[in-house]
Amino acid sequence: MITNDANVRVSEGDHRLLGHEVIHPATQRTGTVATVLIRTSKTTGKRVSQTAHMRPLDTSGREWTADPRELKPLRRLAPDVPAGAR
């Protein structure tokens, strides 16, 4: 856990796009989701924001961030299967 300020807790979160290749439609940038940081209010326990960090698929070498809700997978993801359903 990383503490950002007195009222917000920042932690790395588990996200369905983690490790997947994505596109950010607004900018047309493509990359692999390396981590998702989740900011949570210490007083209410509610999620305040989240930020995805991507590694580029092009040769620019420039990593970038975006709201993970704005990202779209480049390939279809397998559906989530409950652990006991296999």
Side-chain angles (χ1 to χ4, degrees):
M1 175 179 37
I2 306 163
T3 303
N4 192 353
D5 66 37
N7 297 318
V8 178
R9 178 179 302 119
V10 180
S11 60
E12 288 188 44
D14 192 25
H15 194 277
R16 67 183 184 87
L17 293 175
L18 198 60
H20 291 279
E21 295 176 354
V22 297
I23 186 167
H24 185 237
T27 62
Q28 294 300 302
R29 291 199 69 184
T30 57
T32 302
V33 179
T35 191
V36 177
L37 296 180
I38 299 173
R39 289 165 186 79
T40 307
S41 169
K42 288 182 180 179
T43 55
T44 66
K46 292 184 180 181
R47 184 176 290 183
V48 176
S49 68
Q50 54 186 352
T51 305
H53 293 255
M54 275 72 60
R55 292 194 174 107
L57 293 179
D58 61 19
T59 58
S60 71
R62 295 184 66 157
E63 295 185 358
W64 51 287
T65 62
D67 185 327
R69 296 173 295 185
E70 298 174 356
L71 302 173
K72 304 292 180 214
L74 286 177
R75 293 169 186 68
R76 187 167 182 236
L77 299 178
D80 291 334
V81 178
R86 293 181 189 195

